[in-house]
Structures are given as C-alpha cells and as structure tokens.
Amino acid sequence: MNPREPLKRVLYIDLSKKSFWIDEREDLFERWLGGVGVAVQLFKEEASKNVDPLSPENPVIFSVGPLTSLYPLASKTIAIFKSPLTGNLGESHAGGRSAIALRLAGYGATVIKGASQLPVYLVIKEEEVEFRDASALWGVSNAITVGRILRETAPGQGVRTIMRIGKAGEKLVSYAAVMTETYRHFGRLGLGAVLGSKKVKGIIIYGKHTIPVEDKKKYREVYDRLYKLSVESDAMKRYHDIGTAMNILPLNYIGALPTRNLNSSRFEGAEEISGENIAEKKLARRIACAHCPVACIHIASIREPYPDEPYFYKTTFISYDHELIYSLGSMLGVKKIDNVLRLIDIVEAFGLDAISAGVSLAWATEAYKRGIVTINETLVELDWGNVENYIEAIKYIVEQPNHFYTTLAKGTREASKHYGGQEFALNFGGNEMPGYHTGYGAIIGYSIGSRHSHLDCAGYRVDQTIKEPPSPEEYVEMLIKEEEWRQVLTSLVICLFARTIYTVENVVDALKPLGYDCTEDELKKLGEEIYLEKQKLKIELGFNPRELKIPSRVFETSTPHGLLRRDYVEKALQHYAELIEYKINTSD
Amino acid sequence: MECFEKNMSTLVHEVKRLAVLDSERCVGCQLCMFACSRRFGEGGLAKSAILVRSVGGIEKGLTVIVCRACENPPCARVCPTDALGQRKHGGVIFDSSKCIGCGNCVRACDIGAVFWDDETNKPIICVHCGYCSRFCHYKVIGVEKIK
C-alpha cells in the first residue's frame, strides 16, 4: 500500500466519552481491501455476539475502498452494524456524496460506538470531530427539514455529505433509514434506529484530500477507458433514461410484480405507475451520486393545492425508484402516480425504509381484511389503495400509539409472531421482501443472501434470463458464486449497478496503477473469504442456516416460472446449509 | 497538461475559455472536479479549480463555479506580489513561486472561483485547458473561443 495513501486511517468516535482518535490499520486494508471486507473485521473487533442492536455497545462502521474517488461509479459507502430488524448482521449501502466525503476527509473507515446523553450531530473533518448539540433538531418531524438546517450550519459546500435520521430513527422503528443528500439512503435493516439509539441526529463529513496514485499515466488511461464504458453502456443508459423504475412494466408483463401483499403478481395499475409514465408526466430532474456519470436518481415533482386559498400551491420534489413504486404502489394497490409519490414523500420525511414500510402495511392490510386484527388495533381502516388511511397508518408506525403499531414498527416477522398471519408475512430472515417475484432464484436469493436483500446475489435477475431453472443444488451454487464476487465489488467499493463494467479483468486493471498487484484468482479468492467471514459472523450472531422460514404465500402466487414448488426451495436451502457448514469446517 | 498550457499562452489568436453553457443540465456528478485534479495524475479534489454544488438542496438544482476569465480580473489586481498576471483576452496566469499565500485573490473573486489548496497553502487557478469538459457527459461546460 502506498505510504501516502490515507485509506488505512480509521477514525474511532466514542459518543459516550465525546472523544475520537485515529488508528492506522494498514493490516486490515491490505488483507481485506476496504468496504465490506474491512468493515466486517472492524465490527468483529468491536461487537460482542449478544450485543443488543439498540444499546451503546452496538458499533456502527462506515467504510469506503481503494477505488473510491479515483474511478467513476465507485460511489458507495458501506455501513455495518447489528440490525434491530433481523437481530443479525446489518449491512446497508448508500451513495450521494457520502463515499467521496469520507475518503477525502482522509479516512478509509469510521467506527462509531457508545451513545450520547444529549442529542448530537457530528461534524467530521480532516483531523477532528466536533460533537454539536442537536437538541433543537431532535423531534423535527421531517428529515428533509433537518437536512435544510444542517446545510446552513455546516462547512464544506459541494464536498460534504449530510447524513441524518428522521423521526422514525428517533422513535427506534426497526426499519428506520439514514438519509444522505436528501435522496439517497442507508435504507435497509434499520441503521436509522441504531443511530437514534445513540442520539445521533446527523453526521456531516467533509474534506478534499489528494489521493496519491503510483502510475499516473496508466491511471489516466484506465480511467478514460472505464469512463467511456460507463457513458456508452446500454445498461447505464437505461438507468439514466427511465431509472430503476423501468422494471415495473416488464415485471408486470411477465407476471413478477408483487401486488396486494403478493396475492397477485400482476397489477392492473402498472401502466399508470410505470417508470415510463412517471418520467413523461412528473419527472423534474435527474441527479447523480458524486463521481458517477450515470445519474440514475429520478426526481418527480407534484403540485398540490392548499384548500384554504385559490392559486396557492405546494410543490414537492420526490425521488422514486422501482422498489418504492412496488412497496408503496403495487403492493398496497395504489394506482395513481400522485398517490404513490405522496406515500414515498411521507416515508422519506419520517426516514423509514420504503420496502419494509410498504410490506408491513401490506401485511397489516391483509391481516385486517381477514379479521386477524380489528380497527381497535389498526385505528384506521386499511384497504388496498386507500392512501389517506395509509398516510395515517405510517404516522402511527412512527408514533406507536398502541401495542399493534409498536409491534408493526418491528417489522412483519415480529408483528405476525404476535398477531398471526405468518404465512403471508413477506419477510426473509426478518427482512421484508423486495419487488421481484420472478421465480426460484429470487426466493432462494432473499433467503440465503447475507443481507436477505435482492442485491446480495441477484437471483431475480437470473430468473429473468434462464428458461428452465437448473437443479436446486446448482442454483444455490450459482447464487453463492455471484454473492462471493459481489463481496469484491462492495469492498472496492463499486455501485452494484456498474457490475457489468467492473469485470474482474477491469478491476485488476483499475487497481494496478494504484500500486495493488493482484491477480484475478486472488481477487476471486478474496471474495470467497469475505463471504465466508460474513456467514460465520452471522452464525455467531445467532443465525441458523437450517432454520430459514419461507412464507407460504410465495408458493401460492404464480411466477414467470409457474407456481413454485416448496420441495425445490427446501432442497436448495438444505444444500446451502450443508455447503456453509462444509466451508466453515474446512476453513482454518 | 503542459501542452495544454503551452497552447493557451502561445496561440494568442485562438485564446479559449472554459464556459458554463447550461447549468440546468447539470446532474451533479462532479466528474469535472475530479478531472481537474486528475490533470496532475492524482485523485481526490485538493487541486480542483471547479466546484459543483447545489443551490440550497439538490432538489433546487445545481450551480457550477469556475473562473470566467474576466477581462479585468479583480484577483490579479489585489495580488501584492504579482503572482497573478493578466492573461491576454481574459483570465489570469498564476506563478506559484511568487505567491506568498495571503489569500487576497480568494476574497476578491465575487463568484468564488478562486479556490484554495490547503495542501500547498496557495490558490488554485483555472488555466482554461478544458480537460474537465471532456468528462462532462451532459454538456454543461465546454470550451469556447474568445475573440
């Protein structure tokens, strides 16, 4: 590693003592690259296995990698923590300016531990950390407003990140998110609640260091080639044109768009809430994460009249993506664009994970309609497409006025454990289902993926490219192989949308001018090792690969591959468990 | 890099400047900023003479801040050591060996286009080479001739 390379610097922040220090951890960055690889090790050093996710002892690690700020599309920050939603390993990724800011402040990672008595927000600069009083911000209900206030008080315009939690994080909703730059999120697995439990309202990071490069000429050559690939690739163009919302129509067409709590895989309102229709009628602006030329972030504007005065309007800008249109649109039977956008807006304002929030409401709606819970619990009538009541219910999830909402704020696994309806509580390993009911790859992937996310191993994508599924054993091995390679990408840290550009050959080329001499095989092996480290850590934290539960609803609603067979999935999961046990037993 | 500067200073009849063509097209990717630092073969943003930032929140749009090659540049007028000399047909040429790091130039530029290099304690001055515009996929910035 280049001796001038600041990546090795790890910033430790102790909120209880309001102190900080910097350690040089060349050992970790040389062995594990950065990103996920390093953050998992830092987490293992800091956390005990029985740590309560909402206690001061739960550490939060943010990390970036060697490619951050040096190459296009290396734009993500990794967060590792213990998840209050699943009670197991929490991993969440976000873009915005977060990665560049942390890297150029001169750090490869930061470890945040302890808890503050007073609400605080942190200002992280090149050599120091300020602990600022956030009492005046605590309780501000809209996370967008919090961003507005912090923008005015903090330095570093244009080269900073402003992470913050909303009221959902303060109220410890298990799937509260952390927002960064208003429109990007550490969405999944409840990082917002962990920061809320530490009384951290926001984190501002800024800096504009130089990052040294060993072979300058070669660096520019590789850069130019990767830049050209990223602006000329078809895949990237699609992310720019319609954005991830381009998925709604094709998924609906093939019958893979989860609708009304997955009672159906086709939605009659798909045309209306499709990416194409929103782009045509509502798209206001497209923006990018720092150092990404793709600009996949799509922002719609809606204009709502105030009822008390004519010609008096409120214009709201709302960022949308496939997952949000699924979870707050088709999953809740909401057919009008403006209504989907209004739900997205309120979820954003409270700082909730949109997928878990939507899927929780979908479960609650079905539970209500089946009479498992009554209006005494739900307080409002829940019905598909009833947006006004969904807005009320979202407020209740945050405020938790009764036992039902306190439980629903812990996700569908907890809620269905108390109230019943586990067979239609759509979660995998405790994390709510993403927006693809494409076949075996999706369901197996959600189950065995380290984060129980579609992005772990992209089974949903494989489902859409194969005609016939292979044997359950082969499918599992394919997905694990994909997840292993993704550990390299998320350690570098590359946006997963750019996975087709950062092939193993290109990654080797990109690392070389920086002074990293590694072969393709070494990188692949590293991916396998990081994957295994995560699986081991999950088991230490209480995860049992033999006890994965699949809600029976996924076998009752058709996919493009027909109705899925439970025995196929069970065989796959058994093979996964055996493989993991074998890998662990044969590793040192 | 050297060849860019040579082009700039010798071919006076074809003096060019970097221009912001339409900031409404900007997506905020900041590739221009990284390109500017990369001219020297380094990563990061310490050497960048261009800044893209939001105008009070990303939803309100973005602004691109870069030297506009003033004909009568205030930054040069306040330099006590003549480290900033006037470039023919607009803009300034920076002689780092004369600079004492007083920062007058930064304060004199009303559009905020004189940036500061904390690593050398000297200003960063746009040389209008146009390297950044090669990485602007959305045609926000470009090079135009000064007559």
Side-chain angles (χ1 to χ4, degrees), chain A residues 255-407:
Chain A
L257 181 66
T259 298
R260 294 186 188 88
N261 204 37
L262 197 58
N263 277 293
S264 166
S265 47
R266 282 206 171 86
F267 184 44
E268 70 280 10
E271 283 283 345
E272 168 76 9
I273 63 169
S274 69
E276 287 78 355
N277 199 38
I278 303 181
E280 193 179 312
K281 300 200 172 123
K282 303 285 173 185
L283 180 61
R285 194 179 283 287
R286 285 174 292 188
I287 53 176
C289 294
H291 217 164
C292 171
V294 176
C296 75
I297 307 166
H298 284 57
I299 297 177
S301 75
I302 54 172
R303 196 175 76 153
E304 294 168 274
Y306 283 98
D308 58 331
E309 196 185 315
Y311 307 113
F312 195 27
Y313 294 102
K314 173 170 103 167
T315 303
T316 316
F317 295 91
I318 300 152
S319 109
Y320 60 91
D321 268 297
H322 166 73
E323 299 296 345
L324 291 71
I325 300 172
Y326 138 74
S327 62
L328 300 167
S330 65
M331 202 59 165
L332 298 178
V334 178
K335 292 181 200 167
K336 285 207 174 111
I337 305 178
D338 278 19
N339 283 342
V340 177
L341 291 172
R342 282 171 64 209
L343 285 177
I344 294 176
D345 187 46
I346 189 158
V347 159
E348 183 94 64
F350 280 129
L352 288 158
D353 173 46
I355 300 180
S356 286
V359 174
S360 295
L361 286 177
W363 171 84
T365 306
E366 184 161 348
Y368 176 77
K369 290 172 92 65
R370 284 170 177 255
I372 294 173
V373 293
T374 67
I375 193 99
N376 292 330
E377 281 84 31
T378 61
L379 306 177
V380 281
E381 248 183 74
L382 296 175
D383 193 9
W384 309 122
N386 186 339
V387 171
E388 304 312 323
N389 286 3
Y390 280 137
I391 289 175
E392 286 307 303
I394 291 169
K395 288 180 189 163
Y396 290 140
I397 287 175
V398 175
E399 295 294 344
Q400 301 159 48
N402 62 13
H403 182 266
F404 175 74
Y405 281 105
T406 307
T407 317

Side-chain angles (χ1 to χ4, degrees), chain A residues 101-157:
Chain A
L102 183 61
R103 180 88 156 105
L104 298 188
Y107 307 107
T110 178
V111 175
I112 301 174
K113 48 190 185 175
S116 177
Q117 292 278 326
L118 257 185
V120 290
Y121 67 98
L122 305 175
V123 180
I124 298 177
K125 308 179 193 174
E126 292 183 11
E127 293 298 333
E128 66 175 271
V129 177
E130 284 177 35
F131 298 85
R132 294 195 187 173
D133 186 349
S135 304
L137 296 171
W138 203 256
V140 172
S141 62
N142 189 330
I144 298 170
T145 311
V146 174
R148 238 172 243 168
I149 297 165
L150 291 180
R151 251 193 323 262
E152 300 299 319
T153 64
Q157 260 197 336

Side-chain angles (χ1 to χ4, degrees), chain A residues 4 69-70 97 100 104 148 151 157-159 181-183 208-213 216 219-220 223-224 227 231 240 285-295 299 317, chain B residues 24 26-31 33-34 38-47 51-54 56-62 115-116 118-119 124 131 134-138:
Chain A
R4 291 193 299 131
S69 101
L70 287 169
R97 293 200 193 104
I100 305 296
L104 298 188
R148 238 172 243 168
R151 251 193 323 262
Q157 260 197 336
V159 292
E181 285 66 81
T182 312
Y183 296 122
K208 45 176 206 162
H209 251 279
T210 288
I211 307 295
V213 168
K216 297 178 176 185
Y219 164 53
R220 276 198 299 244
Y223 187 100
D224 289 357
Y227 169 73
V231 292
H240 176 67
R285 194 179 283 287
R286 285 174 292 188
I287 53 176
C289 294
H291 217 164
C292 171
V294 176
I299 297 177
F317 295 91
Chain B
E24 288 300 315
C26 183
V27 298
C29 70
Q30 302 187 324
L31 257 74
M33 293 163 60
F34 289 97
R38 207 167 54 253
R39 293 175 306 147
F40 305 98
E42 308 244 43
L45 293 172
K47 315 293 176 200
L51 177 71
V52 174
R53 63 168 178 80
S54 74
I58 279 170
E59 69 275 20
K60 306 267 166 58
L62 296 134
F115 298 93
W116 198 252
D118 291 323
E119 296 175 351
I124 307 163
Y131 187 65
R134 287 204 239 158
F135 296 90
C136 182
H137 188 60
Y138 300 99

